[in-house]
Amino acid sequence: MSVIGLDIGNENCVIGVAKQRGIDVLLNEESNRETPAVVSFGEKQRFLGLAGAASATMNPKSTISQVKRMIGVKYRELEEDLRLLPFETSEGPDGGILIHVQYLNETHSFTPVQILAMLLAHLKQMSEKSLEMPIWDCVIGIPSYFTDLQRRAYLDAAEIAGLNPLRLMHDCTAIALGYGIYRTEFPSKGPSIVVFVDIGHCDTQVTVAAFRPGLMKILSHSFDRNLGGRNFDEVLFKYFATEFKQHYNIDVYSNTRASVRLRVACEKLKKVLSANPEAPLNIECLMDEKDVKGFIKREDFEKLSSDLFDRISYPCHKALRDSGLSVDKIHSVELIGSGSRIPAVKKILSSLFGTEPRRTLNASECVARGCALQCAMLSPIYRVKDYEVEDSHPFSIGISSDESPINTVSNGILFPKGRLFPSVKILRLHRTNTFHIEAFYADQNELPSGLSPTISNFTIGPFQVSDAEVKVKVKVQLDLHGIVMIESASLIEGCRDNSNAKNKAHSTFEHIEGDNHVSSDVANGASDSNNEDSNLSAKHTADDMREGKIRRQNIPVSVSVHGGMTRAELSEAQQKELQLTQQDIKMEQTQEKKNLLESYVYETRTKLFNTYRSFATESEREGISQNLQQTEDWLYEDGDDESETVYTEKLAHLIQLVDPIECRYRDQEARALETRRLLKCIEDYRKAVGSLPSDQKEAVVVECNKAEQWLSEKNQQQESMPKNADPVLWSSEIQKKADTLDAMCNHIMKSKASVAEPDEIMDDKNEEDDNMSVD
């Protein structure tokens, strides 16, 4: 079994795979390393990846792209951007996005999570086909700005697709892992600070990372989720849309197909401008049967994009500020992402950081490679060098209770911004019956604009106690995916507080008057200054349990995710995906039968007038030719869209017509082969009769002569027959004759051995009698 890393971009997807000798990138069916993140719905089946991208121009209203930006986002947050997309969208009952497509002559509605699951299932299928083994475990790259809801949506999509994500990994963290694990030049005294600037298709992410030998620590994440290569494409699109309206009197905004074609052309033009000072644009028959031409200089493009270039510096400044470092502490800047190829971007970063940005990483593959490497590190089937990865969470997460405030949580913040994760907090609360805990983002300013701060609500219970000494221990986890979960809750009876703990500045346990709850903080995978006190407290608890003073009872915990999928909705989505997959398989099998029928028509027509010509009568040739032509005409007219059964029946009918001719052709070669076999059999037995008694020798020779005479007579009759007539001598008859001769001759020759056997037995008996001794 192998493990993979997935980079699901807004425009393209990349699959990294862990192999015994390192990390590689899988190729798709066209031997490309990038696969379009596109799902297209035809009349009766889906087209995913490359096939979906090929349908984008012909079927834009049912071709879904840029699904990454829609995951876990409310409709009103993206309403303006959604209007620019060619497919139809609307607001769902929960305020989310619904995507509407025409499929099987009906209008179907899908959520972005379902579309993402289709993409993941396609990438899984590609991986299994390429590696020739089942795939389950994976690590998926996600933007650092993803909220708890968006992270859960990715996990839901992976579950629908049949994948098991070992981790959702921040894109720049995956890039940093691939960058640092193979390098040996980092100083041993102090950390080496590297800034990673990833300008992708739809977003910009900046990460500051510190590297030491065997350790990588993320110091800060910052982002602009609405600044990417697509924004520069849109600048060119608006420019040329205005130009064409003035010069050609066409409005591309009014034509969906024209808009799609112009955007594709503008994206290519942007790449040309990255290497050339000017570039032309030519599109044939863009709209109203008009060919259009355009031209733009790089300096004009940079002027039009000046406000976008200004925005690039904001996340860079924020990342430095959050890391607590100054520019002079930065050792190097790594530039990646499709949007980073614009020359002006490199100039801005050079002036900002005081050093020339480097491009030592593959801009389109580094995320997938880092994810595959992390998956190999987490998987038990691979051995990877010891390398510690410490990632930080970009948001502050707070927690509150409906019954009374949690005083041990400072300002309501349970996991502060920049917290290393996975991480665990243990809360000890005085509660006497069922209560609720709410997790939320503590600082709205840290979130992308428009997003709700609510994360999820947890119900602890049911339970009920009357003893005031009973406490509820709640274990809250910021897990490996960056998701807040209550891992467990339990009643603890007879728990004693350690009064000395409050006098310790770094004590893991605190005694708070009024609320009497205790908090502990343990960071998984990172050094924690409180480990010593935590171990001391664990020792007291273990002593109490041995003395029978502490009793524990697990309490059920249920979660309600704000805006997330329920288990019923997830199960329904899995069933829907299964139905769609079965329909795709059915249509692929139907297409295979159709192609098989079409190929048979062309091949048979060629053979009929070449290879099979002398083996068919004139009437047979005319009849079959007429049937072939009728089938061909039917295939391109009424039979263009038929069921698998119909194609199978048509093929069977043609085979039935052609089969007699093909049998004559094949039997001619087989007849010559079997004739040689029979003659060789006759010759071999004639040579073998030399040691036989005369009567047996004569019997074998007689049988050989009969077989030879039969073959000669039959061959004479066959040679007098035309090739287009059914043979009077079939190869099967000659084979049967050879088998009969072989059996009869063997029987005759074995009779000699059976006659000699009694004499041999008597000789053996006489020898035995001679050797006997008598006392």
Side-chain angles (χ1 to χ4, degrees):
M1 188 178 73
S2 187
V3 295
I4 59 174
L6 299 177
D7 176 18
I8 312 296
N10 199 51
E11 194 175 33
N12 293 303
C13 304
V14 182
I15 308 172
V17 58
K19 296 185 176 179
Q20 293 297 334
R21 296 185 178 180
I23 306 298
D24 200 1
V25 172
L26 296 183
L27 305 180
N28 57 29
E29 52 265 36
E30 291 186 1
S31 297
N32 295 327
R33 302 170 83 84
E34 294 180 284
T35 299
V38 176
V39 177
S40 182
F41 288 82
E43 292 183 2
K44 291 187 176 182
Q45 72 178 112
R46 299 174 301 174
F47 301 97
L48 300 100
L50 284 170
S55 304
T57 304
M58 300 301 296
N59 187 27
K61 291 187 177 181
S62 290
T63 301
I64 317 303
S65 59
Q66 302 191 36
V67 67
K68 181 178 180 180
R69 298 188 65 231
M70 307 178 206
I71 295 294
V73 179
K74 299 300 182 184
Y75 177 81
R76 293 184 180 180
E77 297 173 35
L78 284 179
E79 190 170 3
E80 292 184 6
D81 291 343
L82 291 173
R83 289 174 183 170
L84 301 176
L85 298 175
F87 48 90
E88 183 184 353
T89 58
S90 68
E91 185 174 2
D94 59 349
I97 299 171
L98 282 180
I99 301 167
H100 308 287
V101 295
Q102 289 295 321
Y103 179 64
L104 296 176
N105 298 321
E106 296 179 2
T107 300
H108 290 255
S109 299
F110 298 98
T111 64
V113 173
Q114 289 177 284
I115 300 297
L116 177 61
M118 297 176 195
L119 272 176
L120 291 174
H122 177 63
L123 298 178
K124 179 178 185 288
Q125 183 183 13
M126 283 177 53
S127 303
E128 291 177 337
K129 184 177 180 180
S130 176
L131 300 172
E132 297 181 346
M133 63 178 67
I135 297 294
W136 288 287
D137 292 343
C138 66
V139 167
I140 304 176
I142 61 169
S144 59
Y145 57 80
F146 262 17
T147 63
D148 192 277
L149 176 61
Q150 290 172 305
R151 295 166 193 259
R152 290 179 186 270
Y154 259 59
L155 294 180
D156 290 340
E159 185 174 348
I160 295 170
L163 287 169
N164 174 39
L166 301 182
R167 180 173 191 172
L168 297 181
M169 195 172 198
H170 294 151
D171 291 336
C172 286
T173 305
I175 295 170
L177 173 59
Y179 174 87
I181 194 171
Y182 298 115
R183 296 177 185 266
T184 58
E185 69 270 19
F186 296 129
S188 57
K189 293 184 178 180
S192 180
I193 309 300
V194 182
V195 177
F196 296 92
V197 182
D198 180 10
I199 304 176
H201 183 259
C202 67
D203 56 18
T204 296
Q205 300 179 74
V206 182
T207 293
V208 181
F211 293 93
R212 295 178 184 268
L215 170 67
M216 178 201 80
K217 183 177 181 179
I218 301 299
L219 302 180
S220 66
H221 291 289
S222 66
F223 51 83
D224 186 336
R225 67 170 187 157
N226 293 314
L227 174 62
R230 68 181 187 89
N231 299 90
F232 296 98
D233 298 341
E234 194 65 23
V235 167
L236 292 172
F237 177 86
K238 290 179 179 178
Y239 172 79
F240 284 109
T242 303
E243 288 285 313
F244 295 158
K245 191 169 185 178
Q246 292 175 355
H247 293 88
Y248 298 98
N249 195 28
I250 58 175
D251 182 11
V252 294
Y253 289 102
S254 63
N255 188 300
T256 301
R257 186 172 297 177
S259 296
V260 171
R261 293 186 64 196
L262 180 57
R263 280 196 167 85
V264 171
C266 288
E267 184 182 356
K268 294 179 180 178
L269 183 68
K270 180 189 67 176
K271 295 177 182 178
V272 175
L273 287 173
S274 297
N276 300 278
E278 55 188 32
L281 183 142
N282 300 302
I283 305 177
E284 294 182 358
C285 198
L286 176 64
M287 183 178 169
D288 297 339
E289 299 183 355
K290 292 181 180 180
D291 300 337
V292 296
K293 295 182 179 181
F295 179 84
I296 191 171
K297 294 182 178 180
R298 183 194 289 172
E299 58 185 43
D300 295 332
F301 168 59
E302 291 178 353
K303 288 179 182 178
L304 293 170
S305 308
S306 59
D307 60 330
L308 298 178
F309 293 131
D310 292 339
R311 288 171 57 185
I312 290 177
S313 61
Y314 298 153
C316 296
H317 285 301
K318 189 173 184 300
L320 280 176
R321 185 172 62 252
D322 292 345
S323 67
L325 301 173
S326 57
V327 174
D328 60 312
K329 299 293 184 181
I330 304 300
H331 291 82
S332 63
V333 178
E334 288 290 335
L335 188 56
I336 57 261
S338 60
S340 65
R341 297 184 176 94
I342 301 172
V345 172
K346 195 172 183 179
K347 293 179 183 177
I348 293 170
L349 295 177
S350 297
S351 61
L352 180 62
F353 291 104
T355 181
E356 187 79 7
R358 301 193 301 175
R359 297 179 181 274
T360 61
L361 297 169
N362 188 309
S364 59
E365 298 178 5
C366 52
V367 175
R369 288 179 176 272
C371 288
L373 185 56
Q374 174 72 114
C375 197
M377 294 167 71
L378 295 174
S379 174
I381 63 176
Y382 287 92
R383 293 185 63 185
V384 184
K385 64 180 286 188
D386 292 336
Y387 196 82
E388 192 170 356
V389 178
E390 296 182 357
D391 199 358
S392 65
H393 202 272
F395 307 123
S396 298
I397 297 174
I399 194 166
S400 64
S401 176
D402 56 354
E403 185 170 324
S404 61
I406 303 177
N407 296 331
T408 51
V409 180
S410 176
N411 297 323
I413 298 177
L414 186 66
F415 298 106
K417 178 182 178 180
R419 178 74 186 182
L420 300 180
F421 71 96
S423 182
V424 174
K425 291 263 189 171
I426 297 177
L427 307 177
R428 299 200 178 194
L429 312 171
H430 277 297
R431 298 292 186 268
T432 56
N433 52 26
T434 301
F435 65 99
H436 303 275
I437 288 180
E438 179 183 2
F440 58 90
Y441 290 109
D443 189 347
Q444 184 74 31
N445 295 325
E446 296 172 356
L447 289 177
S449 59
L451 291 184
S452 170
T454 305
I455 296 177
S456 53
N457 290 285
F458 301 92
T459 301
I460 316 296
F463 73 96
Q464 190 168 1
V465 295
S466 58
D467 187 356
E469 294 300 320
V470 175
K471 293 183 179 180
V472 178
K473 178 182 176 182
V474 180
K475 190 174 183 181
V476 186
Q477 182 183 33
L478 184 62
D479 68 10
L480 202 59
H481 307 301
I483 293 173
V484 183
M485 288 293 300
I486 291 184
E487 186 176 335
S488 64
S490 57
L491 286 174
I492 303 179
E493 299 182 46
C495 180
R496 64 185 183 187
D497 291 328
N498 185 1
S499 59
N500 295 327
K502 62 182 178 180
N503 297 322
K504 297 181 180 181
H506 299 287
S507 175
T508 304
F509 289 85
E510 298 179 72
H511 180 75
I512 304 298
E513 296 292 333
D515 194 37
N516 288 332
H517 68 272
V518 183
S519 170
S520 73
D521 180 12
V522 181
N524 184 12
S527 60
D528 196 316
S529 61
N530 301 330
N531 280 348
E532 183 178 349
D533 296 312
S534 179
N535 293 335
L536 181 62
S537 173
K539 182 177 182 299
H540 287 312
T541 303
D543 292 340
D544 288 341
M545 291 184 69
R546 280 195 296 269
E547 295 171 10
K549 297 179 180 179
I550 294 180
R551 289 179 296 173
R552 291 190 178 184
Q553 177 184 347
N554 291 332
I555 305 173
V557 179
S558 59
V559 59
S560 174
V561 180
H562 181 70
M565 295 181 71
T566 63
R567 294 307 304 177
E569 291 171 339
L570 187 61
S571 178
E572 183 180 350
Q574 288 175 317
Q575 287 296 117
K576 184 69 174 177
E577 175 63 21
L578 179 60
Q579 293 172 5
L580 292 171
T581 302
Q582 290 174 343
Q583 175 67 15
D584 290 342
I585 294 173
K586 177 183 176 181
M587 293 309 300
E588 287 173 5
Q589 292 174 344
T590 301
Q591 189 64 38
E592 287 178 4
K593 291 296 183 182
K594 181 183 177 182
N595 293 340
L596 190 62
L597 176 60
E598 187 178 28
S599 299
Y600 188 82
V601 168
Y602 291 135
E603 291 175 4
T604 303
R605 180 181 289 133
T606 302
K607 290 179 179 179
L608 193 62
F609 292 95
N610 293 283
T611 309
Y612 297 161
R613 186 178 186 87
S614 59
F615 294 90
T617 63
E618 188 68 27
S619 60
E620 285 177 326
R621 283 199 300 271
E622 290 180 0
I624 294 173
S625 296
Q626 186 177 1
N627 273 277
L628 292 174
Q629 187 61 47
Q630 289 175 354
T631 304
E632 182 181 0
D633 296 340
W634 174 81
L635 274 172
Y636 297 115
E637 294 174 1
D638 298 337
D640 183 57
D641 186 16
E642 275 292 349
S643 66
E644 180 184 358
T645 305
V646 174
Y647 293 130
T648 303
E649 291 174 353
K650 287 279 185 181
L651 180 61
H653 175 67
L654 291 178
I655 291 175
Q656 186 178 7
L657 294 176
V658 179
D659 191 64
I661 300 170
E662 190 171 0
C663 285
R664 296 170 196 161
Y665 169 76
R666 290 181 177 177
D667 200 73
Q668 185 185 38
E669 294 183 358
R671 189 164 54 248
L673 182 64
E674 292 299 330
T675 297
R676 289 193 296 270
R677 176 173 171 255
L678 178 57
L679 291 174
K680 187 176 184 307
C681 184
I682 293 171
E683 182 181 357
D684 290 344
Y685 278 115
R686 282 175 174 170
K687 290 179 180 179
V689 296
S691 60
L692 295 178
S694 58
D695 56 337
Q696 292 175 342
K697 179 178 180 180
E698 183 178 355
V700 171
V701 171
V702 168
E703 293 298 331
C704 290
N705 291 339
K706 287 181 181 179
E708 187 176 31
Q709 184 179 2
W710 174 87
L711 181 62
S712 176
E713 292 175 355
K714 288 291 185 179
N715 276 333
Q716 288 180 1
Q717 295 177 18
Q718 180 59 40
E719 288 173 2
S720 65
M721 297 287 294
K723 291 183 178 180
N724 57 20
D726 289 339
V728 294
L729 177 61
W730 293 93
S731 59
S732 58
E733 296 180 55
I734 303 176
Q735 181 183 9
K736 185 178 179 181
K737 192 68 175 179
D739 293 341
T740 302
L741 176 64
D742 187 58
M744 292 184 67
C745 291
N746 274 329
H747 177 71
I748 294 171
M749 295 174 71
K750 284 180 180 179
S751 63
K752 175 192 176 184
S754 63
V755 171
E757 186 175 348
D759 295 336
E760 294 173 0
I761 294 173
M762 289 300 296
D763 292 340
D764 293 340
K765 185 177 180 181
N766 292 334
E767 291 177 6
E768 184 178 353
D769 291 342
D770 292 340
N771 292 330
M772 292 180 62
S773 60
V774 179
D775 292 336

